[in-house]
Amino acid sequence: MIENRKFIVIGVFCLVGLVYLSRLFYLQILDDSYSLESSSNSIKRVIEIPYRGQIYDRNGKFMVYNTPVYDLYVTPQKVQIPDTAAFCHLLSLERTEFDSIMAVAKAHSYRKPSLFLRQLSKEDFARIQDALVDYRGFEHVTSSMRTYPAHTMANALGYVSEVSRKQLDEQETPYYRQGDYIGRSGLEEQYESILRGQRGIKFVMQNVHGVVKGSWKNGAFDSLAIAGKNLHTGIDVEIQQYADTLMQNKVGSVVAIEPSTGQVLCMVSAPTYDPNALSSRFFSKSYSKLAKNPYKPLINRPVMASYRPGSTFKLIQALVALQDGAVSPGSIFSHAGSPMKCHCNRSGRLNLSGAVQYSCNPYFYHVFRRLLYNNAERNTFKASAMGLHHWHDMVSKFGIGSRLGIDLPSELKGSLPDADLYDKLYGEKHWKFSTVYSLSIGEGELLISPLKMANVAAIIANRGWFYTPHIVSGIGEPGKGIDSKYLEKHEVGIDPQHFEVVAEGMQGAVEHGTTTMAAVIPGITICGKTGTSQNKKGKDHSIFVAFAPRENPKIAIAVFVENAGWGGIAAASVASLVIEKYIKRRVDNHALDKKVKESNYLPAITPPKKPAPKKFVEPPKDSTAKPLIVKTVPARPVAPAQPETQSLASRPVTTNGN
């Protein structure tokens, strides 16, 4: 019995020993991955960065692609520079810059290469390539740089720059390393995970000094980098570039949408800049210059600026009132009882279509009053609060007061006031219709972005529905891979027949109403509405929204020109030319084209005054008092006019409304 137990114990020990030996044999002989981990001192893991995806317009033209560039690396131990001044001149460096870069490289490692200069163009590299033979210790690595051949749409496209320390620290899943590039703003940021691709890994052998000695295991464990997916957009580059030229010397936006798809055709933010300026090794200098520009070209105004919509909001008021039964197409209101003036001088002889055509302020004052009181006899707070709540719900279906969800970062919500807002501003039950009536013509606390007004034009063009506006129409391939939310049709809850009444008034506004006759395009029926947005910081803003043709619309557009005054001239002219260019693919109205391009609506910028020199007042000779220093305080410079970003209290009387 004891003998049997002895053999059992010996057998167990032998079995355990055999398992250990087998595991050791597997780890040390068969399993190369363990060998790789244990050889970290001699095997270097090199990350290969893939090419970012490219971006195309709707016609297959390049908007963004990758250009090969060269990064220059230095190994301090090997450096031999016979003439430092000549070397700095060769690379267009200041001596202080050279000393600073070399100090960082030496602090990193004497024996290992580190970055010396990033993103040398092929022209710059060709210029220095032969001369580098005389300067040992420098080597180059090929990389890529984003290139924007159309030189347009900088704000919407965005840019790439080195990842910040904050972004590195806030990564949920570690991916980026110090020195990596990441999309910042615009499509580059919105679609970063798609554009960046998938990194590759390469294992190389190195000696104890970190010098590479070749590939490890003939690349058996290497993985290839996979380029990012391409983006296909609905942008028409030709129209985008033309709209840019029209918005020269102006501050504002142009947003055009294809109503049937929701695809953005062009998106201009003026003033703009060449996106290539932020795609080079001089990024910091270029960005600093743009950030200091008083006209703020880095703001993407179509989605980030907020304005009072002015009389363009009367389109929504008319549709909501028709749907609610507050008015009919034949309703006529006199000017009596309205605190607002009318510039059409027709003394209340207009029906709803005519009121849209001539932008009659008193008419829409009465329309809004009927909406809020729902034909109630008494002007009470309860009726005002209930009516405003109902009005708010109906208007919000047009996308007002919320983010539409365009595929761009930083879209602002704007403002669509409700009873709760007025309770906070004036106190509960301390406001009524006379407090908020300026909303009737798109003033007061209303704030809307140019994108939303272009979408309103698309809604009317479609007679009651819209797709969420979006720039990207395909990922990888045209028409494929986009988010399903951009394929979902949104109804605004207005019966289709009501849109015909409004469209009739919009056509009349262009042909015989508040729009300059120069904006009429022979052969194209344009339905439009002018607006003049009040601006407390300067001259009023010019607004125009439109779609064309009236039947089977191809384009819906909104134009905002800051400090340009009446909407029927500046904004309407720009919109008319863009519509003509898109539909006809040419511009026949050369006189208007020339006039718009020569127009300058840039608000004057008062440069800051230099502080006056200190004046020394000599004390009397017999005085022992200390000298008196008199300081002259410079006058505070006048800030440039900017888009309205905060709501203001309703104004009791307004004369705008065209």
Side-chain angles (χ1 to χ4, degrees), residues 370-442:
R370 278 202 178 187
L371 271 170
L372 258 60
Y373 290 126
N374 194 23
N375 296 318
E377 293 295 329
R378 297 183 61 192
N379 184 347
T380 64
F381 166 77
K382 183 177 180 181
S384 295
M386 292 180 61
L388 190 65
H389 178 76
H390 177 64
W391 171 85
H392 179 279
D393 287 347
M394 295 188 72
V395 173
S396 64
K397 293 178 181 179
F398 286 78
I400 311 302
S402 60
R403 295 180 181 86
L404 285 176
I406 189 173
D407 50 348
L408 286 175
S410 305
E411 181 191 358
L412 296 185
K413 291 173 60 177
S415 173
L416 178 62
D418 56 12
D420 291 337
L421 175 63
Y422 291 115
D423 286 344
K424 291 178 183 178
L425 290 176
Y426 301 102
E428 190 172 353
K429 297 185 179 181
H430 284 80
W431 61 273
K432 52 185 178 180
F433 179 74
S434 59
T435 312
V436 302
Y437 69 76
S438 60
L439 296 175
S440 63
I441 58 169

XYZ file of all heavy atoms in Angstrom, residues 370-442:
585
model
N -52.707 87.280 -33.404
C -53.741 86.246 -33.525
C -53.195 84.873 -33.118
O -53.903 84.076 -32.498
C -54.252 86.189 -34.958
C -55.294 87.239 -35.274
C -56.118 86.814 -36.473
N -57.155 87.759 -36.798
C -58.083 87.540 -37.718
N -58.084 86.405 -38.405
N -58.998 88.449 -37.969
N -51.953 84.617 -33.496
C -51.350 83.336 -33.133
C -51.274 83.166 -31.618
O -51.605 82.109 -31.077
C -49.942 83.233 -33.725
C -49.795 82.663 -35.122
C -48.378 82.854 -35.640
C -50.164 81.179 -35.133
N -50.826 84.215 -30.934
C -50.642 84.104 -29.493
C -51.966 84.053 -28.742
O -52.116 83.286 -27.789
C -49.794 85.273 -28.975
C -48.329 84.910 -28.692
C -47.645 84.417 -29.948
C -47.580 86.097 -28.105
N -52.936 84.854 -29.177
C -54.200 84.896 -28.439
C -55.229 83.917 -28.966
O -56.277 83.741 -28.341
C -54.775 86.320 -28.464
C -53.964 87.279 -27.636
C -53.479 88.455 -28.196
C -53.663 86.994 -26.313
C -52.721 89.340 -27.443
C -52.903 87.862 -25.556
C -52.433 89.031 -26.120
O -51.683 89.889 -25.373
N -54.925 83.310 -30.109
C -55.840 82.322 -30.673
C -57.261 82.884 -30.743
O -58.238 82.249 -30.334
C -55.828 81.026 -29.845
C -56.479 79.873 -30.579
O -56.555 79.877 -31.803
N -56.949 78.890 -29.826
N -57.337 84.151 -31.213
C -58.616 84.864 -31.352
C -59.303 85.149 -30.020
O -60.505 85.391 -29.964
C -59.578 84.096 -32.264
C -59.040 84.003 -33.681
O -58.504 84.971 -34.205
N -59.178 82.837 -34.285
N -58.509 85.085 -28.917
C -59.095 85.406 -27.606
C -59.434 86.893 -27.557
O -58.741 87.729 -28.123
C -58.105 85.076 -26.489
N -60.507 87.212 -26.858
C -60.958 88.598 -26.804
C -60.098 89.422 -25.854
O -59.819 90.587 -26.093
C -62.431 88.647 -26.357
C -63.399 88.058 -27.367
C -63.427 88.860 -28.654
O -63.214 90.091 -28.589
O -63.653 88.264 -29.720
N -59.670 88.808 -24.746
C -58.984 89.574 -23.716
C -57.472 89.412 -23.838
O -56.959 88.311 -24.035
C -59.446 89.134 -22.321
C -60.931 89.381 -22.072
C -61.313 88.995 -20.662
N -60.568 89.795 -19.687
C -60.523 89.516 -18.384
N -61.178 88.476 -17.902
N -59.836 90.289 -17.564
N -56.766 90.518 -23.678
C -55.304 90.538 -23.732
C -54.773 90.189 -22.343
O -54.454 91.058 -21.545
C -54.839 91.938 -24.150
C -53.334 91.990 -24.330
O -52.611 91.098 -23.939
N -52.888 93.092 -24.921
N -54.691 88.913 -22.045
C -54.299 88.467 -20.709
C -52.948 87.778 -20.748
O -52.507 87.292 -21.784
C -55.338 87.482 -20.136
O -55.349 86.312 -20.958
C -56.720 88.116 -20.111
N -52.297 87.698 -19.563
C -51.009 87.008 -19.488
C -51.187 85.524 -19.789
O -50.379 84.916 -20.489
C -50.398 87.170 -18.092
C -49.254 86.218 -17.850
C -48.007 86.458 -18.408
C -49.438 85.054 -17.105
C -46.961 85.574 -18.222
C -48.385 84.170 -16.911
C -47.148 84.430 -17.460
N -52.255 84.932 -19.283
C -52.474 83.501 -19.498
C -52.572 83.184 -20.987
O -51.983 82.225 -21.474
C -53.749 83.055 -18.774
C -54.009 81.553 -18.883
C -55.242 81.154 -18.084
C -55.491 79.651 -18.200
N -56.702 79.240 -17.451
N -53.312 84.037 -21.721
C -53.435 83.817 -23.161
C -52.078 83.980 -23.841
O -51.720 83.220 -24.742
C -54.445 84.795 -23.756
N -51.294 84.964 -23.417
C -49.972 85.178 -24.002
C -49.063 83.981 -23.770
O -48.377 83.511 -24.680
C -49.332 86.435 -23.405
O -50.054 87.578 -23.755
N -49.024 83.469 -22.539
C -48.138 82.352 -22.193
C -48.528 81.086 -22.942
O -47.671 80.389 -23.496
C -48.171 82.120 -20.686
N -49.825 80.781 -22.983
C -50.285 79.572 -23.680
C -50.040 79.686 -25.179
O -49.578 78.744 -25.827
C -51.771 79.345 -23.403
C -52.077 78.961 -21.969
S -53.843 78.716 -21.685
C -54.208 77.389 -22.806
N -50.338 80.869 -25.741
C -50.131 81.071 -27.169
C -48.672 81.012 -27.550
O -48.316 80.434 -28.588
N -47.799 81.576 -26.718
C -46.363 81.556 -27.016
C -45.816 80.135 -26.940
O -44.947 79.751 -27.734
C -45.609 82.470 -26.048
C -44.148 82.720 -26.401
C -44.032 83.479 -27.716
C -43.440 83.499 -25.287
N -46.326 79.367 -26.007
C -45.898 77.977 -25.894
C -46.270 77.192 -27.155
O -45.459 76.436 -27.700
C -46.533 77.336 -24.656
C -46.186 75.892 -24.480
N -44.959 75.457 -24.019
C -46.907 74.760 -24.734
C -44.930 74.133 -23.981
N -46.097 73.689 -24.407
N -47.484 77.393 -27.626
C -47.943 76.707 -28.837
C -47.129 77.163 -30.056
O -46.712 76.360 -30.889
C -49.437 76.990 -29.043
C -50.004 76.400 -30.294
N -50.061 75.032 -30.523
C -50.535 76.994 -31.414
C -50.601 74.803 -31.714
N -50.894 75.978 -32.267
N -46.921 78.476 -30.145
C -46.113 79.035 -31.241
C -44.702 78.461 -31.217
O -44.150 78.091 -32.254
C -46.090 80.554 -31.088
C -45.136 81.269 -31.987
C -45.354 81.673 -33.272
C -43.811 81.711 -31.663
N -44.251 82.321 -33.775
C -43.286 82.360 -32.801
C -43.020 81.622 -30.523
C -42.009 82.920 -32.826
C -41.748 82.168 -30.540
C -41.254 82.801 -31.687
N -44.106 78.383 -30.046
C -42.747 77.847 -29.894
C -42.666 76.417 -30.412
O -41.718 76.048 -31.130
C -42.338 77.917 -28.416
C -40.962 77.380 -28.131
N -40.699 76.021 -28.001
C -39.772 78.011 -27.964
C -39.421 75.858 -27.755
N -38.827 77.030 -27.726
N -43.648 75.592 -30.077
C -43.638 74.189 -30.505
C -43.712 74.068 -32.023
O -43.031 73.221 -32.626
C -44.810 73.435 -29.867
C -44.599 73.176 -28.382
O -43.458 73.365 -27.914
O -45.571 72.812 -27.697
N -44.527 74.914 -32.651
C -44.677 74.823 -34.104
C -43.426 75.324 -34.832
O -42.967 74.726 -35.807
C -45.909 75.612 -34.560
C -47.225 75.049 -34.037
S -48.670 75.847 -34.765
C -48.648 75.201 -36.432
N -42.848 76.423 -34.358
C -41.667 76.992 -35.005
C -40.455 76.077 -34.832
O -39.613 75.961 -35.726
C -41.376 78.402 -34.444
C -40.052 78.941 -34.981
C -42.508 79.357 -34.789
N -40.354 75.412 -33.687
C -39.193 74.560 -33.424
C -39.088 73.398 -34.413
O -38.002 72.858 -34.624
C -39.251 74.012 -31.989
O -40.376 73.168 -31.815
N -40.201 73.029 -35.050
C -40.156 71.942 -36.035
C -39.373 72.335 -37.288
O -38.983 71.474 -38.074
C -41.582 71.527 -36.415
C -42.349 70.877 -35.268
C -43.774 70.518 -35.676
C -44.543 69.904 -34.520
N -45.948 69.581 -34.897
N -39.133 73.625 -37.461
C -38.314 74.100 -38.580
C -36.818 74.031 -38.250
O -35.992 74.449 -39.050
C -38.693 75.529 -38.942
C -40.012 75.656 -39.656
C -41.209 75.591 -38.970
C -40.057 75.837 -41.035
C -42.427 75.713 -39.625
C -41.266 75.957 -41.702
C -42.453 75.889 -40.998
N -36.498 73.532 -37.066
C -35.091 73.443 -36.659
C -34.597 74.681 -35.948
O -33.399 74.802 -35.676
N -35.506 75.602 -35.630
C -35.112 76.842 -34.963
C -34.976 76.578 -33.460
O -35.797 75.901 -32.854
C -36.151 77.957 -35.200
C -36.486 78.059 -36.695
C -35.642 79.281 -34.650
C -35.299 78.338 -37.581
N -33.921 77.129 -32.858
C -33.722 76.977 -31.421
C -33.034 75.699 -31.012
O -32.919 75.406 -29.818
N -32.558 74.901 -31.973
C -31.845 73.662 -31.658
C -30.796 73.425 -32.739
O -30.801 74.077 -33.781
C -32.814 72.472 -31.588
O -33.471 72.302 -32.836
N -29.908 72.494 -32.488
C -28.894 72.152 -33.489
C -29.514 71.266 -34.568
O -30.186 70.289 -34.252
C -27.713 71.439 -32.830
C -26.933 72.312 -31.854
C -25.764 71.550 -31.240
N -25.030 72.383 -30.300
C -25.336 72.529 -29.024
N -26.383 71.869 -28.523
N -24.627 73.310 -28.237
N -29.253 71.603 -35.802
C -29.777 70.781 -36.902
C -29.074 69.431 -36.958
O -29.666 68.425 -37.336
C -29.603 71.514 -38.234
C -30.564 72.673 -38.506
C -30.195 73.364 -39.814
C -32.006 72.184 -38.570
N -27.791 69.408 -36.600
C -27.046 68.149 -36.628
C -26.175 67.990 -37.850
O -25.830 66.866 -38.237
N -25.779 69.099 -38.487
C -24.873 69.018 -39.636
C -23.567 68.357 -39.214
O -23.181 68.405 -38.037
C -24.616 70.428 -40.213
C -23.853 70.333 -41.535
C -23.894 71.311 -39.207
C -23.702 71.644 -42.261
N -22.883 67.734 -40.166
C -21.653 67.001 -39.847
C -20.457 67.946 -39.749
O -19.452 67.801 -40.453
C -21.394 65.894 -40.874
C -21.486 66.361 -42.312
O -21.974 67.480 -42.552
O -21.071 65.596 -43.205
N -20.576 68.904 -38.850
C -19.504 69.829 -38.513
C -19.529 70.056 -37.010
O -20.619 70.091 -36.409
C -19.677 71.176 -39.229
C -19.381 71.245 -40.723
C -19.726 72.627 -41.258
C -17.925 70.920 -41.014
N -18.368 70.223 -36.387
C -18.367 70.523 -34.953
C -18.738 71.978 -34.701
O -18.726 72.811 -35.610
C -16.906 70.247 -34.553
C -16.115 70.500 -35.800
C -17.013 70.088 -36.950
N -19.098 72.270 -33.465
C -19.306 73.654 -33.001
C -20.552 74.320 -33.557
O -20.624 75.559 -33.603
C -18.083 74.517 -33.320
O -16.905 73.947 -32.792
N -21.555 73.570 -33.991
C -22.803 74.207 -34.420
C -23.516 74.775 -33.198
O -23.688 74.095 -32.188
C -23.717 73.208 -35.126
C -25.012 73.843 -35.619
C -26.054 72.836 -36.089
O -25.767 71.631 -36.067
O -27.160 73.274 -36.464
N -23.959 76.029 -33.292
C -24.662 76.667 -32.186
C -26.174 76.448 -32.294
O -26.712 76.289 -33.381
C -24.368 78.170 -32.168
C -22.918 78.576 -31.913
C -22.810 80.091 -31.812
C -22.377 77.933 -30.645
N -26.841 76.462 -31.137
C -28.284 76.232 -31.110
C -29.075 77.450 -31.561
O -30.151 77.324 -32.119
C -28.718 75.861 -29.684
C -28.232 74.512 -29.211
C -28.552 74.299 -27.742
C -30.034 74.352 -27.476
N -30.351 74.081 -26.049
N -28.555 78.637 -31.278
C -29.350 79.830 -31.518
C -30.338 80.031 -30.384
O -30.175 79.492 -29.285
N -31.391 80.782 -30.635
C -32.356 81.068 -29.575
C -33.762 81.177 -30.145
O -34.002 81.923 -31.102
C -31.984 82.382 -28.870
O -32.985 82.766 -27.946
N -34.674 80.409 -29.566
C -36.101 80.507 -29.855
C -36.803 80.711 -28.520
O -36.967 79.766 -27.748
C -36.609 79.237 -30.548
C -38.109 79.207 -30.860
C -38.477 80.327 -31.821
C -38.512 77.856 -31.449
N -37.175 81.949 -28.192
C -37.681 82.251 -26.850
C -39.010 81.566 -26.550
O -39.815 81.308 -27.443
C -37.835 83.771 -26.869
C -37.975 84.122 -28.312
C -37.139 83.123 -29.065
N -39.199 81.275 -25.279
C -40.468 80.719 -24.813
C -40.896 81.458 -23.551
O -40.239 82.398 -23.101
C -40.348 79.214 -24.558
C -39.235 78.864 -23.566
O -38.709 79.791 -22.909
O -38.885 77.678 -23.456
N -42.007 81.017 -22.970
C -42.546 81.706 -21.794
C -41.576 81.663 -20.621
O -41.476 82.624 -19.850
C -43.885 81.076 -21.399
N -40.852 80.566 -20.480
C -39.897 80.461 -19.370
C -38.821 81.535 -19.460
O -38.392 82.085 -18.438
C -39.241 79.077 -19.366
C -40.221 77.971 -19.000
O -41.241 78.292 -18.349
O -39.965 76.802 -19.357
N -38.354 81.830 -20.694
C -37.338 82.865 -20.860
C -37.857 84.218 -20.407
O -37.167 84.959 -19.686
C -36.907 82.940 -22.327
C -35.935 84.077 -22.670
C -34.612 83.916 -21.937
C -35.702 84.151 -24.174
N -39.089 84.548 -20.786
C -39.630 85.851 -20.412
C -39.961 85.926 -18.925
O -39.908 87.002 -18.327
C -40.846 86.173 -21.275
C -40.468 86.419 -22.715
C -40.887 85.569 -23.727
C -39.643 87.488 -23.055
C -40.520 85.778 -25.049
C -39.269 87.708 -24.368
C -39.697 86.850 -25.361
O -39.312 87.065 -26.655
N -40.290 84.781 -18.330
C -40.471 84.760 -16.869
C -39.169 85.126 -16.167
O -39.159 85.837 -15.154
C -40.929 83.375 -16.408
C -42.390 83.108 -16.751
O -43.114 84.077 -17.057
O -42.792 81.923 -16.734
N -38.042 84.655 -16.741
C -36.740 84.960 -16.134
C -36.345 86.418 -16.379
O -35.766 87.066 -15.507
C -35.669 84.030 -16.714
C -35.818 82.575 -16.305
C -34.753 81.718 -16.971
C -34.941 80.251 -16.618
N -33.924 79.379 -17.293
N -36.669 86.920 -17.578
C -36.265 88.283 -17.922
C -37.101 89.341 -17.203
O -36.572 90.356 -16.746
C -36.377 88.497 -19.429
C -35.367 87.766 -20.314
C -35.689 88.004 -21.792
C -33.950 88.223 -20.016
N -38.423 89.100 -17.115
C -39.320 90.139 -16.610
C -40.036 89.752 -15.317
O -40.689 90.593 -14.709
C -40.371 90.479 -17.674
C -39.764 90.970 -18.962
C -39.652 90.132 -20.065
C -39.280 92.263 -19.082
C -39.083 90.581 -21.256
C -38.712 92.726 -20.260
C -38.619 91.869 -21.352
O -38.046 92.314 -22.513
N -39.917 88.506 -14.914
C -40.657 88.040 -13.752
C -41.941 87.363 -14.168
O -42.580 87.761 -15.149
N -42.340 86.345 -13.443
C -43.534 85.576 -13.790
C -44.776 86.473 -13.773
O -44.997 87.248 -12.839
C -43.711 84.420 -12.804
C -44.774 83.431 -13.227
C -44.800 82.200 -12.344
O -43.900 82.070 -11.492
O -45.721 81.378 -12.501
N -45.534 86.395 -14.865
C -46.774 87.167 -15.047
C -46.531 88.683 -15.152
O -47.464 89.470 -14.943
C -47.762 86.873 -13.916
C -48.218 85.423 -13.867
C -49.282 85.209 -12.817
C -49.755 83.753 -12.803
N -50.814 83.517 -11.796
N -45.305 89.049 -15.501
C -45.010 90.468 -15.652
C -44.688 90.822 -17.107
O -43.995 91.793 -17.387
C -43.834 90.876 -14.753
C -44.197 90.999 -13.308
N -44.297 89.898 -12.476
C -44.517 92.092 -12.553
C -44.631 90.295 -11.262
N -44.786 91.624 -11.282
N -45.169 90.021 -18.015
C -44.986 90.313 -19.434
C -46.243 89.885 -20.184
O -47.030 89.076 -19.698
C -43.764 89.595 -20.009
C -43.846 88.081 -19.908
C -43.468 87.296 -18.861
C -44.378 87.197 -20.899
N -43.725 85.984 -19.118
C -44.275 85.884 -20.369
C -44.921 87.375 -22.163
C -44.699 84.769 -21.079
C -45.345 86.268 -22.870
C -45.224 84.968 -22.327
N -46.423 90.428 -21.379
C -47.562 90.072 -22.220
C -47.202 90.345 -23.677
O -46.024 90.539 -24.008
C -48.811 90.835 -21.794
C -48.618 92.341 -21.686
C -49.871 92.999 -21.133
C -49.656 94.511 -20.975
N -50.871 95.171 -20.429
N -48.187 90.378 -24.552
C -47.914 90.509 -25.982
C -47.138 91.781 -26.301
O -46.249 91.787 -27.149
C -49.223 90.488 -26.774
C -49.021 90.651 -28.247
C -48.507 89.621 -29.022
C -49.302 91.871 -28.875
C -48.295 89.777 -30.388
C -49.096 92.037 -30.237
C -48.588 90.982 -30.994
N -47.451 92.865 -25.613
C -46.769 94.124 -25.894
C -45.280 94.051 -25.548
O -44.505 94.896 -25.982
C -47.423 95.266 -25.103
O -47.373 95.005 -23.709
N -44.889 93.029 -24.787
C -43.479 92.836 -24.440
C -42.730 92.093 -25.534
O -41.538 92.314 -25.731
C -43.354 92.029 -23.127
O -44.230 92.567 -22.137
C -41.922 92.046 -22.611
N -43.428 91.220 -26.263
C -42.738 90.277 -27.155
C -43.107 90.450 -28.623
O -42.679 89.654 -29.461
C -43.039 88.817 -26.729
C -42.617 88.580 -25.296
C -44.520 88.466 -26.911
N -43.860 91.483 -28.980
C -44.379 91.547 -30.346
C -43.290 91.708 -31.401
O -43.521 91.466 -32.585
C -45.415 92.660 -30.480
C -44.874 94.073 -30.382
C -44.191 94.658 -31.450
C -45.064 94.831 -29.230
C -43.709 95.951 -31.372
C -44.586 96.122 -29.146
C -43.898 96.684 -30.214
O -43.421 97.964 -30.136
N -42.087 92.133 -31.008
C -41.023 92.270 -32.007
C -40.634 90.916 -32.612
O -40.014 90.858 -33.677
C -39.790 92.938 -31.405
O -39.279 92.192 -30.330
N -41.021 89.821 -31.956
C -40.798 88.490 -32.540
C -41.569 88.326 -33.845
O -41.198 87.501 -34.693
C -41.233 87.392 -31.560
C -40.473 87.282 -30.226
C -41.128 86.217 -29.346
C -39.020 86.941 -30.458
N -42.617 89.096 -34.013
C -43.468 88.950 -35.199
C -42.702 89.210 -36.486
O -43.036 88.663 -37.540
C -44.668 89.900 -35.114
O -44.243 91.254 -35.114
N -41.666 90.046 -36.422
C -40.892 90.352 -37.630
C -39.435 89.895 -37.483
O -38.523 90.446 -38.106
C -40.953 91.857 -37.965
C -40.423 92.698 -36.797
C -42.369 92.259 -38.339
C -40.208 94.159 -37.151
N -39.214 88.892 -36.639
C -37.890 88.282 -36.563
C -36.870 89.054 -35.771
O -35.670 88.902 -35.994
